[in-house]
Amino acid sequence: MGPRVRPRWFVPYVFLLPVGIFLALVFGYSLVAVVIQSLRVPGILGVTNWGLGNYHGIFGDPLFWRSLGDNLKLFLVIPVMTVVGLLMAVLLYERTKGWRIYRSLAFLPYILSVPVIGVVFSYILELNGVLNQVLDSLHLHFLVHDWLGNPNLALWSIAFIIAWQQTGLAIVLFLARLASVDEQLYEAAMIDRANWWKRFWHITLPQLARVIEFFVVISLINMLSWVFSYVYVMTGGGPEQKTYVTELYIYEDAFRNGLSNLASAASVVLLLVAAALLFVQAIARKGVDRIEV
Amino acid sequence: MSKVTSESVREDLTGLSRRGFLRLSGVAGASAAAASLLASCSSSGSSGSSGGKVNLLVWYWGEQEAPGMQNFMKKAVARYNSQQSKVTVTAVLQSSDSLYSAFATAAQAGKGPDIQYLWGGTQALGDVWLGYCAPLSDYIDASWLRENIPQAALAQTNWGGKQWGMPFYQIGTAFPYNKKMFADAKLNPDEPPVTWDDYTTALSKLKKIGVSPIGAGFKDQYLGGWLASYFGQQNFDTIEDAIAPFRGSVKYEGPKYTEWINQVQGLVKSGFFNDDVQSINLYQGQNLFTARKAAIVTSVQPQITSFYRTMGGNDTVGVMRSPAFGTGKFANSFGAPAQVLLLTKFSPHKEEAANFLKFLHTPAMMHLMYQESGAICPDNKFDTSWFDTETDKTMWHWQQTLPNFWYQYYYPLPFETNGVDPGLQQLWQPNGSVTAAVASMQGAINKWGEQTPEQLSAYKTWKPLPG
């Protein structure tokens, strides 16, 4: 048997290089370009100045802070999605008859295209749309509202649609993790006469801790930077700019108002906030690891 | 004797070792990435010259607003190319969402179209102020422009003593109305209201017959600009009056600037709009007209022509101007804003591009545009015998006899998106107020000035043509 040839240290990186180049060009170049654009302060007739003027512009804009605030309001949906997803996963885990069909139906909204969901629900939630017509026919007139045209209701209507769509992911994630939990833990608990709640609190929840943490952080990032399609299609940021999320702020400045430099500055700020969330996730993960152990 | 290993056996069988497979995959992946990168770098069409022949690239829009415009451009370009031995024109239709962003990208790269279409007025001047365009008046004689193009159309993109945009087609803006509903409401179908009092009286009668007097949709945040431009100019005497708040020389307050908001509030409180205006889009509101659920809608000339042709002609569709309540010169005006084509700063063939723009203003091309799309080319040579609808004849008569002014083309767009739209939308709420609407609009002006000082300085140096 001949001597074993150790691969050189750089060989794995050579194989990663094509993908790395692709990612660097698509994401890295775009990122650098946006940062540079955010520092370009246009003067008249093509004169370009450089500095933090665009950042002053957005930080001094009440609409920018209101947009961030609307994203933060959407965070309130996350506990709802998590709890509903958890309960439904636990119920499905009981393997009642037809549970596979229920699981598929629960996950179906998640695989639908967001713009399609937005367009369909726009029609359903119009003042004279399907929902209000059904409520009217059931003599539930007090429930008839302008779901998308009322500034006090529009954002929560969108939040409901987001929750409807994203809860399916929670159910599937939690169910998958439940399937890998050691059954002996539950058997031991039942031998000790632990009731359903105690089994759920002391076994199910700790075992699901990491996947719950993953889902919560992913949802936080989604609520911050992945709700544009819902808002753009369903309300356009109105009424009265009461559904003006940060992505829409960036879009409107870039594509409608022709202020791409301001939009770039807002994009950089959004990126930094998302990065901060990821940092929080890394810290939270350490705590979760302790719980699981 | 060579050693038999599992690796070598596999290689014998497949002709490829694991190491070889990984090596090939890496090369294939890099090649695919490089190929997709090169493909994405290609532009839509190309400008330049080859073999002594000049290639002109035109990026345009308009099919969405005046259906048939794409057919017109194809035929116009084909005819021009057949007449020219040294110039070849390529015209590429742009999408609404990327019209401005694609041009900004091209301008910053210094490479792209020779001629760029933009929506007119300040929506074109914004790119002029960024230095993306070359002055048209440097390549087309001022006397030609004066003799051929109506001054009101030139004024919309005239800045710094230079003409920047060549008016391409105009979109006369008016209110089509359903004559049969008017007759049902005991109104004269051939004499629509002209004064504000007559207008509100007519709306009350229309409401009684069970239709929405005015069909509209505000959800997509476009209606505000229409309402501001139909009603917001009525106490102005000059373009100077319109742009004064944006220079910072006056506040957006007082009857001169805000009476129109009171009038709109009156329409809202009287229930003259459809009840779902806040939850449907602009086009859905306009569709209420074709669905015969609304008596009057906002619209533009090519669309009005389409209504006329599809809803029963002169028996069903009439057209009316904004009713007058104001006391300024523009109280009785007609808005016929012009979309424009501009020479790009980085084009190496500006002379040739200017010649093509003049070609689009020949009688044959203007007639072809009207035939294909129903759109009117703003030109003093436009032959009114080409009109085939009564609504077009009516709007043309207004344009010749009344001041032509479209407010939206003189204010910066953020004023509309951040001030007019949210300000007017809150009028539909129980506690909505004109005071809050005015505050919204002045706040938008302040913010725009702070965020875009270069545009503010452009307004301060703007000496508008009389219009």
Side-chain angles (χ1 to χ4, degrees):
Chain A
M1 197 168 166
R4 185 187 169 93
V5 177
R6 286 186 67 186
R8 297 189 184 170
W9 64 268
F10 57 81
V11 168
Y13 298 103
V14 171
F15 289 113
L16 287 173
L17 197 58
V19 165
I21 292 172
F22 182 76
L23 288 174
L25 285 170
V26 172
F27 292 105
Y29 174 76
S30 308
L31 183 59
V32 169
V34 164
V35 172
I36 292 172
Q37 180 93 331
S38 74
L39 297 171
R40 177 188 281 150
V41 182
I44 196 75
L45 288 177
V47 171
T48 297
N49 305 307
W50 297 92
L52 299 175
N54 296 315
Y55 290 94
H56 289 143
I58 60 164
F59 288 146
D61 183 1
L63 181 60
F64 176 72
W65 297 109
R66 221 163 57 230
S67 305
L68 268 180
D70 285 342
N71 284 106
L72 292 178
K73 284 180 193 169
L74 290 176
F75 283 4
L76 296 174
V77 172
I78 297 172
V80 174
M81 293 193 305
T82 307
V83 169
V84 170
L86 196 54
L87 288 174
M88 296 215 36
V90 168
L91 285 171
L92 286 171
Y93 187 57
E94 299 296 322
R95 299 287 203 273
T96 52
K97 199 173 178 184
W99 72 275
R100 285 193 180 86
I101 296 173
Y102 302 139
R103 182 186 61 180
S104 299
L105 287 173
F107 191 60
L108 188 61
Y110 188 73
I111 63 174
L112 295 175
S113 159
V114 171
V116 168
I117 291 174
V119 169
V120 170
F121 273 96
S122 291
Y123 286 109
I124 292 173
L125 297 178
E126 282 176 12
L127 180 64
N128 298 321
V130 170
L131 177 62
N132 284 341
Q133 287 180 20
V134 168
L135 291 171
D136 248 345
S137 65
L138 295 173
H139 302 288
L140 298 170
H141 311 294
F142 64 96
L143 289 177
V144 170
H145 293 290
D146 197 351
W147 301 100
L148 297 177
N150 184 326
N152 297 321
L153 292 177
L155 187 66
W156 303 114
S157 301
I158 292 174
F160 173 80
I161 305 305
I162 295 173
W164 171 81
Q165 204 218 9
Q166 297 284 321
T167 301
L169 176 65
I171 294 169
V172 167
L173 283 176
F174 298 158
L175 198 56
R177 178 66 183 103
L178 277 173
S180 63
V181 173
D182 189 350
E183 286 284 343
Q184 291 181 2
L185 294 173
Y186 290 108
E187 289 167 5
M190 286 166 75
I191 289 170
D192 289 340
R193 297 178 198 270
N195 60 20
W196 179 88
W197 173 252
K198 284 195 172 157
R199 292 198 302 273
F200 176 79
W201 187 256
H202 294 288
I203 300 176
T204 306
L205 268 188
Q207 291 296 316
L208 285 175
R210 181 176 284 200
V211 73
I212 291 174
E213 173 258 325
F214 169 78
F215 176 73
V216 167
V217 173
I218 290 298
S219 297
L220 284 170
I221 295 173
N222 282 346
M223 297 304 160
L224 192 63
S225 56
W226 211 66
V227 292
F228 170 79
S229 296
Y230 299 99
V231 172
Y232 182 74
V233 172
M234 295 177 72
T235 61
E240 300 171 46
Q241 295 181 322
K242 291 286 174 70
T243 58
Y244 222 83
V245 294
T246 317
E247 288 167 285
L248 187 68
Y249 180 94
I250 293 167
Y251 175 86
E252 288 283 305
D253 263 356
F255 297 105
R256 193 162 170 202
N257 295 331
L259 305 174
S260 56
N261 304 89
L262 283 166
S264 298
S267 300
V268 171
V269 171
L270 185 62
L271 174 67
L272 291 174
V273 174
L277 273 177
L278 287 171
F279 179 70
V280 167
Q281 183 222 0
I283 296 175
R285 172 154 291 181
K286 287 183 186 164
V288 164
D289 285 343
R290 266 185 251 121
I291 292 172
E292 273 200 343
V293 168
Chain B
M1 188 166 78
S2 61
K3 191 168 172 63
V4 175
T5 63
S6 58
E7 181 87 18
S8 61
V9 167
R10 205 170 16 244
E11 186 170 343
D12 287 336
L13 290 172
T14 63
L16 194 66
S17 69
R18 173 173 152 274
R19 186 173 298 177
F21 174 76
L22 289 172
R23 206 177 283 142
L24 278 175
S25 301
V27 169
S31 305
S36 65
L37 175 65
L38 286 170
S40 67
C41 284
S42 68
S43 58
S44 51
S46 59
S47 163
S49 52
S50 59
K53 203 159 187 183
V54 169
N55 297 318
L56 286 182
L57 178 60
V58 180
W59 285 1
Y60 75 102
W61 188 86
E63 180 66 22
Q64 300 85 336
E65 187 169 57
M69 187 60 66
Q70 190 174 18
N71 272 346
F72 160 71
M73 279 300 279
K74 276 184 189 163
K75 290 179 180 176
V77 164
R79 206 171 294 188
Y80 190 75
N81 288 341
S82 68
Q83 292 172 2
Q84 299 290 319
S85 57
K86 292 186 178 165
V87 178
T88 301
V89 176
T90 305
V92 181
L93 181 68
Q94 303 295 295
S95 71
S96 304
D97 273 354
S98 64
L99 175 66
Y100 279 74
S101 58
F103 179 50
T105 303
Q108 286 171 24
K111 190 180 170 192
D114 299 281
I115 295 171
Q116 173 68 33
Y117 170 110
L118 292 173
W119 299 318
T122 46
Q123 297 177 60
L125 288 178
D127 281 42
V128 168
W129 295 330
L130 286 170
Y132 296 165
C133 307
L136 185 72
S137 47
D138 284 359
Y139 300 92
I140 295 182
D141 197 71
S143 61
W144 187 95
L145 290 170
R146 216 169 29 243
E147 284 161 19
N148 289 278
I149 314 294
Q151 176 147 299
L154 290 175
Q156 294 163 12
T157 48
N158 186 286
W159 177 83
K162 292 183 182 286
Q163 185 62 37
W164 297 86
M166 171 71 97
F168 180 32
Y169 65 87
Q170 66 185 38
I171 42 167
T173 45
F175 297 98
Y177 68 93
N178 189 308
K179 285 187 174 182
K180 292 187 173 158
M181 289 180 187
F182 266 49
D184 291 343
K186 308 278 191 290
L187 297 165
N188 187 333
D190 295 313
E191 287 185 16
V194 176
T195 67
W196 193 261
D197 288 340
D198 289 344
Y199 180 59
T200 51
T201 302
L203 295 177
S204 297
K205 289 183 177 177
L206 287 164
K207 191 174 173 184
K208 285 189 177 125
I209 64 168
V211 299
S212 295
I214 306 171
F218 213 154
K219 193 178 78 166
D220 51 2
Q221 321 295 312
Y222 288 114
L223 183 66
W226 291 67
L227 294 176
S229 299
Y230 280 127
F231 304 130
Q233 83 292 4
Q234 292 212 13
N235 289 319
F236 301 160
D237 292 314
T238 60
I239 296 173
E240 189 65 47
D241 286 343
I243 64 176
F246 309 104
R247 291 190 202 278
S249 50
V250 299
K251 290 279 184 208
Y252 199 82
E253 60 189 14
K256 185 171 196 169
Y257 292 104
T258 66
E259 185 184 1
W260 70 278
I261 306 174
N262 287 280
Q263 306 296 11
V264 171
Q265 186 185 43
L267 297 177
V268 172
K269 298 292 184 212
S270 301
F272 291 148
F273 287 93
N274 44 300
D275 59 0
D276 57 352
V277 65
Q278 295 277 49
S279 61
I280 62 174
N281 291 331
L282 181 79
Y283 78 91
Q284 289 176 286
Q286 291 172 333
N287 284 347
L288 293 173
F289 186 76
T290 52
R292 290 166 165 83
K293 292 181 180 174
I296 303 169
V297 291
T298 61
S299 192
V300 293
Q301 178 260 326
Q303 189 182 43
I304 296 171
T305 302
S306 167
F307 291 157
Y308 186 93
R309 289 172 179 164
T310 58
M311 286 180 68
N314 200 42
D315 290 339
T316 310
V317 178
V319 64
M320 55 178 278
R321 288 188 293 112
S322 304
F325 59 81
T327 55
K329 182 183 162 195
F330 291 151
N332 272 300
S333 61
F334 174 62
Q339 316 292 39
V340 291
L341 293 168
L342 300 101
L343 303 177
T344 63
K345 187 160 187 185
F346 43 84
S347 168
H349 307 296
K350 296 183 182 64
E351 296 273 359
E352 291 85 353
N355 288 337
F356 178 68
L357 293 181
K358 287 168 74 173
F359 169 76
L360 293 176
H361 277 260
T362 54
M365 290 302 101
M366 291 193 285
H367 191 190
L368 182 65
M369 178 189 281
Y370 182 74
Q371 285 174 321
E372 293 291 333
S373 67
I376 298 170
C377 182
D379 192 294
N380 296 328
K381 303 186 299 294
F382 189 90
D383 189 343
T384 56
S385 68
W386 299 335
F387 287 140
D388 58 7
T389 70
E390 290 302 314
T391 50
D392 283 342
K393 292 175 189 171
T394 303
M395 285 188 280
W396 184 262
H397 171 73
W398 292 338
Q399 191 173 344
Q400 303 307 305
T401 55
L402 298 170
N404 176 2
F405 181 78
W406 185 245
Y407 195 11
Q408 188 184 47
Y409 278 14
Y410 289 95
Y411 59 61
L413 204 48
F415 168 68
E416 178 181 309
T417 55
N418 293 326
V420 174
D421 288 330
L424 291 185
Q425 278 187 316
Q426 58 89 36
L427 292 177
W428 267 266
Q429 300 309 313
N431 57 350
S433 72
V434 172
T435 307
V438 172
S440 173
M441 293 176 204
Q442 181 61 53
I445 294 173
N446 295 343
K447 181 170 98 163
W448 161 81
E450 285 159 13
Q451 288 186 331
T452 55
E454 78 285 0
Q455 290 195 10
L456 176 61
S457 73
Y459 264 83
K460 285 182 173 174
T461 57
W462 194 355
K463 291 185 175 61
L465 292 179

